[in-house]
């Protein structure tokens, strides 16, 4: 797998998890790949992958059943959603606002564009 | 850890693995050398019998097999013992050899066993078989009767003893020279002998110049002198020197770097 | 597991390679050794394997002195040199005659890896390309289940899919009891597979940090103008701007650019190591 982002690799792997959870490919309570499986799959040192798992465990998104493996928490979806929202508001939104300012795009313009986008779907 | 099952110098199991590996990759070459010698000898003898219908004196009839056996034993032996530790002379393979999980002692012993003990036994058995067939054919075709190879003669034992000495020299050469030990060992031996005899000469010319050495020497009965110490000389030459050279070879293997 | 203290080594007495080499390497890590040509990367691997003997100082590996070449030491260490030659035989026969030396050799792993690398056991080794021979040796080395695996430029001669497979192999078979050391110029081939970076220069270890520590300490940024950033530790001009190395505490965690890090260490090791000391003290 290619890591194009400038984010730390363990955080890029975390994003991978978030995508799977938010797109409901992985659901609450599901068993998720082991550290080793994921490491092989994305060709990353298992210790780095372990860091992702530790991070997600800290955030209460995954938990470890000793001797069985890792599972998504019962409220993994909600926790992920909150985490990503926070990240979006704190990191991505300021960038967007900055660009909007530069290009003189008003909030109303954005609303129109947003509705168009939604309707297309 | 159990010291009986965990011996870092010798384990039978590891030793067998090493022998198997040697057999797989090196013994083929040794067999080719032996085969080539026997073929050459057969060819020469065929030509002799076909073109030279002259007389064969009793001495030749009696000694042919001993001479042929000794020449082959030595020629083949020098080649085969020089080919010991073959991988160590190949820059692209020597690390594999050094890192093969066997002790230096096992590796040393394996090479010694193949190039000395196994080789001598193999040559004896092969030559006996060969000479038996040889004698039978020659008798049928030409009516000549060659004496069989005599394994219990004194000459035969001395030949083996001298071979052991020669082996120990070229075995040491095989681990000393990085290239072509089969050429460099004899050269080195020749140089060594030259130096020793020059040294003798010098001693005679300089140190003993004032004495009338010839007179002194003529007073010594050499027959008697060597006769007296013959066994000691033989013992040193046939047993002490080979053992010292083998030990040196082992120590050199220990010190081998890549 | 590997402890090197005040090690001295030279090929020729007049040009010392290592004078006071000190380094500790532990199991559970994949070490990447970087350094210029002639810095001593290969020599270090050979000293660890016992293929070269230190002139003075201490070298202890897995509780053994490598120089002694104790068979129980050799059973737990495998060295993949940059260049090598196999005996002329088939893959199957090679495995048969050599696997027995390694008590933990796992034939299932060997079969899997030969499959993965598309090598059939009936092939004659001398008919293989260099890359295929290298894959065979890597497969064999991994199958021995040795504790210590030393690899000198392992991705040299491998095609792109094989490089990817090589990373998968490392990720699969590396574990907490094993210690892998990879010496390399081709950092990009091994980017995310290493977890400790060691840089040697002029016979000394001038840098030795885990990826996690690097992540916590250094930030790798790209900027248009250098004036956009304060506290720049190192910068390199590139198309359309600069690649910049700064401290994480100022700029956040980023993906590690090992090449940039390597250049930074070579140009100013004191500043870089200072940053790690500061991070440690915080």
């Amino acid at each position: 797998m290619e890591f194009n982002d400038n984010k730390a690799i363990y955080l890029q792997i975390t994003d991978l998890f978030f995508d799977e959870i938010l797109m409901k490919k992985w659901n609450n309570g599901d068993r998720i790949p082991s550290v080793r499986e994921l490491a092989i799959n994305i060709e990353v040192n298992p210790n780095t992958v372990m860091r992702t798992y530790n991070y997600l465990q800290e955030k209460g998104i995954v938990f470890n059943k000793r001797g069985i493996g890792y599972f998504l928490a019962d409220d993994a979806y909600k926790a992920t959603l909150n985490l990503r929202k926070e990240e979006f508001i704190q990191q991505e939104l300021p960038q967007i606002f900055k660009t909007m300012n530069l290009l003189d795009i008003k909030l109303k313009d954005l609303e129109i564009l947003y509705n168009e986008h939604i309707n297309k779907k | 850890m159990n010291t009986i099952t965990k011996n870092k110098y010798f384990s039978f199991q590891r030793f067998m693995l090493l022998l198997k590996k040697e057999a797989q990759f090196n013994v083929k070459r040794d067999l080719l050398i032996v085969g080539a010698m026997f073929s050459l000898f057969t060819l020469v003898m065929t030509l002799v019998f076909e073109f030279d219908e002259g007389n064969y004196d009793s001495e030749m009839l009696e000694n042919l097999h001993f001479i042929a056996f000794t020449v082959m034993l030595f020629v083949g032996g020098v080649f085969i013992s020089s080919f010991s530790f073959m991988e160590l002379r190949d820059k692209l393979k020597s690390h594999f050899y050094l890192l093969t999980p066997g002790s230096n002692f096992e590796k040393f012993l394996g090479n010694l066993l193949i190039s000395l003990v196994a080789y001598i036994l193999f040559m004896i058995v092969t030559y006996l078989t060969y000479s038996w067939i040889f004698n039978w054919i020659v008798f049928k075709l030409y009516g000549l009767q060659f004496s069989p190879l005599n394994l219990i003669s004194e000459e035969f034992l001395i030949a083996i003893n001298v071979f052991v000495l020669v082996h120990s020299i070229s075995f040491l050469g095989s681990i000393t020279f990085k290239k072509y030990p089969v050429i460099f060992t004899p050269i080195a031996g020749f140089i060594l002998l030259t130096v020793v005899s020059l040294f003798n000469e010098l001693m005679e010319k300089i140190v003993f110049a004032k004495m009338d050495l010839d007179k002194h020497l003529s007073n010594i009965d050499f027959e008697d002198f060597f006769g007296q110490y013959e066994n000691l000389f033989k013992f040193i030459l046939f047993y002490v020197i080979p053992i010292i050279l083998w030990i040196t070879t082992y120590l050199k293997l220990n010190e081998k770097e890549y | 597991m590997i402890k090197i203290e005040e090690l001295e080594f030279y090929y020729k007495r007049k040009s010392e390679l290592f004078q006071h080499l000190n380094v500790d390497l532990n199991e559970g890590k994949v070490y990447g050794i970087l350094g210029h040509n002639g810095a001593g990367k290969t020599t270090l691997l050979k000293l660890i394997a016992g293929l070269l003997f230190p002139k003075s100082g201490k070298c202890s590996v897995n509780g053994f002195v490598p120089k002694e070449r104790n068979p129980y030491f050799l059973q737990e260490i495998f060295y993949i040199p940059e260049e090598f030659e196999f005996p002329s035989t088939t893959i199957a026969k090679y495995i048969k005659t050599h696997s027995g030396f390694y008590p933990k050799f796992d034939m299932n792993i060997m079969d899997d890896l030969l499959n993965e690398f598309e090598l059939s056991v009936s092939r004659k080794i001398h008919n293989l390309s260099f890359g295929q021979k290298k894959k065979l040796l890597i497969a064999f080395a991994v199958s021995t289940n040795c504790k210590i695996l030393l690899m000198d430029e392992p991705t040299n001669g491998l095609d792109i899919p094989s490089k990817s497979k090589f990373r998968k192999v490392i990720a699969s078979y590396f574990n907490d009891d094993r210690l892998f050391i990879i010496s390399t110029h081709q950092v990009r081939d091994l980017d995310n597979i290493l977890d400790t970076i060691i840089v040697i220069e002029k016979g000394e270890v001038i840098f030795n940090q885990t990826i996690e520590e690097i992540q916590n300490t250094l930030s790798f940024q790209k900027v248009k103008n250098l004036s956009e950033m304060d506290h720049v530790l190192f910068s390199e001009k590139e198309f359309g701007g600069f690649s910049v190395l700064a401290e994480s505490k100022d700029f956040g965690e980023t993906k590690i650019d090992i090449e940039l890090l390597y250049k930074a260490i070579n140009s100013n090791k004191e500043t870089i190591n200072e940053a790690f000391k500061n991070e440690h003290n915080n």
Side-chain angles (χ1 to χ4, degrees):
Chain A
M1 134 166 204
E2 288 287 315
F3 297 94
N4 294 318
D5 225 330
N6 193 32
K7 266 191 192 174
I9 298 298
Y10 84 98
L11 292 175
Q12 291 197 50
I13 302 170
T14 311
D15 286 346
L16 212 75
F17 266 78
F18 290 164
D19 287 348
E20 299 291 299
I21 294 166
L22 293 176
M23 290 192 295
K24 304 236 168 185
K25 281 188 188 163
W26 293 350
N27 296 308
N28 292 348
D30 276 3
R31 192 183 164 166
I32 55 171
S34 69
V35 171
R36 177 82 58 189
E37 275 164 2
L38 191 61
I40 296 167
N41 208 324
I42 60 179
E43 297 166 19
V44 167
N45 187 294
N47 289 338
T48 306
V49 176
M50 194 63 222
R51 230 185 141 191
T52 302
Y53 281 61
N54 286 339
Y55 175 79
L56 289 170
Q57 218 167 348
E58 245 171 63
K59 299 285 176 196
I61 293 168
V62 306
F63 68 95
N64 186 7
K65 268 191 202 164
R66 221 163 255 287
I68 302 173
Y70 283 93
F71 293 82
L72 286 191
D74 287 337
D75 58 349
Y77 181 81
K78 219 180 124 199
T80 306
L81 200 63
N82 289 337
L83 216 71
R84 281 292 286 130
K85 254 187 202 168
E86 204 183 316
E87 205 180 279
F88 178 72
I89 291 165
Q90 280 183 354
Q91 286 168 25
E92 293 163 48
L93 216 46
Q95 287 295 322
I96 295 171
F97 289 157
K98 198 176 151 193
T99 314
M100 280 171 69
N101 250 332
L102 276 172
L103 303 177
D104 193 27
I105 299 169
K106 297 280 174 281
L107 208 55
K108 267 185 190 162
D109 303 331
L110 199 64
E111 204 180 337
I112 297 164
L113 286 168
Y114 179 79
N115 284 333
E116 267 175 23
H117 177 79
I118 294 293
N119 288 337
K120 238 186 245 168
K121 277 190 173 171
Chain B
M1 276 175 207
N2 193 332
T3 47
I4 295 164
T5 53
K6 285 203 164 254
N7 190 320
K8 65 176 179 172
Y9 297 109
F10 189 82
S11 122
F12 186 70
Q13 190 208 355
R14 283 197 307 257
F15 189 60
M16 287 326 269
L17 285 168
L18 276 172
L19 283 186
K20 255 186 225 163
K21 189 166 83 84
E22 287 291 326
Q24 177 115 44
F25 302 113
N26 293 326
V27 169
K28 215 185 275 173
R29 180 197 55 229
D30 299 348
L31 290 177
L32 274 174
I33 293 172
V34 173
M37 287 192 307
F38 276 99
S39 308
L40 191 67
F41 178 65
T42 309
L43 186 71
V44 170
M45 289 319 287
T46 311
L47 290 176
V48 167
F49 288 128
E50 284 301 310
F51 294 104
D52 180 34
E53 290 165 38
N55 321 307
Y56 300 96
D57 57 20
S58 63
E59 205 161 303
M60 176 170 173
L61 292 176
E62 206 172 297
N63 290 330
L64 175 78
H65 285 312
F66 174 70
I67 293 165
F69 172 78
T70 314
V71 169
M72 280 197 222
L73 180 76
F74 277 67
V75 173
V78 165
F79 272 95
I80 286 168
S81 52
S82 292
F83 282 131
S84 302
F85 306 109
M86 187 73 169
E87 285 108 320
L88 284 181
R89 289 187 291 282
D90 187 334
K91 198 102 188 70
L92 296 173
K93 287 179 182 165
S94 65
H95 47 85
F96 284 140
Y97 188 73
L98 292 172
L99 294 181
T100 300
S103 68
N104 289 328
F105 182 66
E106 287 155 352
K107 290 172 188 174
F108 161 81
L109 203 64
N111 276 290
L112 188 69
L113 196 71
I114 288 171
S115 66
L116 185 71
V117 183
Y119 172 68
I120 292 176
L121 291 178
F122 181 77
M123 279 303 280
I124 290 175
V125 170
T126 313
Y127 199 91
L128 281 177
T129 316
Y130 175 87
S131 62
W132 185 79
I133 299 168
F134 178 98
N135 285 355
W136 186 74
I137 292 174
V138 170
F139 181 71
K140 286 273 160 194
L141 292 180
Y142 305 100
L144 293 166
Q145 258 185 319
F146 286 90
S147 313
L149 184 64
N150 186 359
L151 296 185
I152 44 171
S153 68
E154 198 187 342
E155 294 155 309
F156 183 82
L157 284 177
I158 289 176
I160 297 290
N161 271 328
V162 176
F163 176 69
V164 169
L165 177 67
V166 168
H167 171 275
S168 66
I169 295 168
S170 72
F171 199 53
L172 178 61
S174 79
I175 204 153
T176 308
F177 296 106
K178 283 192 176 138
K179 269 184 181 167
Y180 313 118
V182 75
I183 297 168
F184 286 118
T185 309
I187 292 177
F190 181 73
I191 291 172
L192 192 71
L193 282 179
T194 314
V195 169
V196 169
S197 54
L198 278 179
F199 180 74
N200 267 342
E201 197 79 5
L202 275 176
M203 293 294 272
E204 206 173 307
K205 286 263 156 63
I206 299 166
V207 182
F208 300 110
K210 283 178 187 159
M211 298 191 246
D212 189 352
L213 201 62
D214 279 338
K215 198 182 144 202
H216 279 282
L217 287 180
S218 61
N219 285 340
I220 301 170
D221 186 347
F222 277 101
E223 285 279 301
D224 191 47
F225 179 73
F226 284 111
Q228 203 176 340
Y229 293 105
E230 195 193 343
N231 284 339
L232 181 66
F233 283 134
K234 275 188 182 164
F235 182 74
I236 291 175
L237 215 53
F238 295 155
Y239 298 99
V240 177
I241 292 179
I243 286 171
I244 289 174
L245 295 184
W246 287 329
I247 291 172
T248 313
T249 306
Y250 172 62
L251 294 177
K252 271 188 147 330
L253 176 63
N254 273 327
E255 290 304 315
K256 228 22 180 197
E257 291 179 72
Y258 167 58
Chain C
M1 195 186 263
I2 298 179
K3 210 171 172 58
I4 292 176
E5 277 173 63
E6 289 296 308
L7 184 143
E8 183 195 14
F9 182 81
Y10 49 81
Y11 289 96
K12 283 181 188 139
R13 195 176 279 275
K14 279 177 191 164
S15 55
E16 290 248 8
L17 189 54
F18 299 127
Q19 280 187 311
H20 307 283
L21 187 72
N22 289 290
V23 64
D24 275 7
L25 308 172
N26 300 311
E27 54 264 55
K29 292 249 159 62
V30 181
Y31 289 90
I33 300 190
L34 313 181
H36 288 318
N37 289 327
K41 301 190 295 288
T42 302
T43 306
L44 178 59
L45 295 185
K46 288 181 186 170
L47 284 160
I48 291 170
L51 288 168
L52 290 173
F53 304 159
K55 305 295 176 189
S56 70
K58 225 181 99 179
C59 178
S60 150
V61 177
N62 197 18
F64 294 96
V65 177
K67 179 183 152 75
E68 289 174 2
R69 292 200 270 263
N70 185 320
Y72 298 100
F73 163 72
L74 298 175
Q75 281 171 359
E76 292 291 353
I77 191 160
F78 204 98
Y79 170 55
I80 302 177
E82 193 177 357
E83 285 181 323
F84 53 84
E85 193 50 76
F86 282 102
S88 53
T89 182
T90 61
I91 294 180
K93 274 194 185 150
Y94 181 83
I95 297 168
K96 199 168 165 249
T97 39
H98 290 77
S99 57
F101 287 105
Y102 298 91
K104 292 190 284 182
F105 190 89
D106 188 333
M107 200 56 210
N108 294 326
I109 296 178
M110 189 76 211
D111 286 338
D112 284 352
L113 292 179
L114 288 175
N115 240 330
E116 183 81 15
F117 287 139
E118 289 160 12
L119 293 166
S120 141
V121 288
S122 59
R123 293 283 301 272
K124 290 205 166 101
I125 301 181
H126 57 267
N127 291 336
L128 301 178
S129 71
F130 179 68
Q132 287 174 313
K133 285 179 190 168
K134 196 142 217 179
K135 286 189 272 186
L136 173 61
L137 191 58
I138 290 167
F140 186 84
V142 169
S143 307
T144 61
N145 273 313
C146 281
K147 269 191 186 160
I148 300 169
L149 194 50
L150 310 171
M151 293 173 262
D152 200 352
E153 301 286 352
T155 57
N156 248 9
L158 297 190
D159 55 19
I160 292 167
S162 300
K163 284 177 182 176
S164 155
K165 281 174 186 164
F166 173 74
R167 290 189 291 266
K168 285 186 193 296
V169 167
I170 299 297
S172 315
Y173 296 106
F174 164 71
N175 63 45
D176 284 349
D177 299 322
R178 301 179 90 174
L179 164 58
F180 288 4
I181 307 179
I182 305 177
S183 132
T184 188
H185 286 108
Q186 275 130 320
V187 181
R188 289 203 191 282
D189 291 344
L190 302 162
D191 230 359
N192 301 313
I193 214 71
L194 302 175
D195 60 5
T196 304
I197 305 291
I198 289 181
V199 180
I200 53 178
E201 184 202 81
K202 289 179 190 148
E204 257 181 272
V205 173
I206 58 168
F207 184 84
N208 180 0
Q209 301 289 349
T210 65
I211 291 294
E212 196 173 336
E213 283 163 332
I214 297 169
Q215 196 105 75
N216 291 339
T217 310
L218 299 174
S219 191
F220 299 78
Q221 306 280 349
K222 287 194 194 312
V223 294
K224 290 211 174 64
N225 286 306
L226 278 178
S227 54
E228 285 175 35
M229 282 177 83
D230 303 326
H231 310 300
V232 167
L233 297 175
F234 177 77
S235 68
E236 186 189 46
K237 197 165 169 36
E238 56 160 47
F239 184 72
F242 294 86
S243 287
V244 175
L245 197 63
E247 288 189 46
S248 289
K249 63 177 191 299
D250 302 324
F251 299 95
E253 289 186 353
T254 56
K255 184 179 163 186
I256 297 170
D257 179 347
I258 299 179
E259 278 190 10
L260 186 67
L261 174 67
Y262 178 62
K263 285 175 192 162
I265 293 164
N266 270 304
S267 91
N268 195 345
K269 61 185 179 208
E270 286 82 13
T271 314
I272 304 297
N273 280 320
E274 192 64 28
F276 281 89
K277 239 180 243 162
N278 293 340
E279 170 65 27
H280 229 80
N281 295 337
N282 286 342

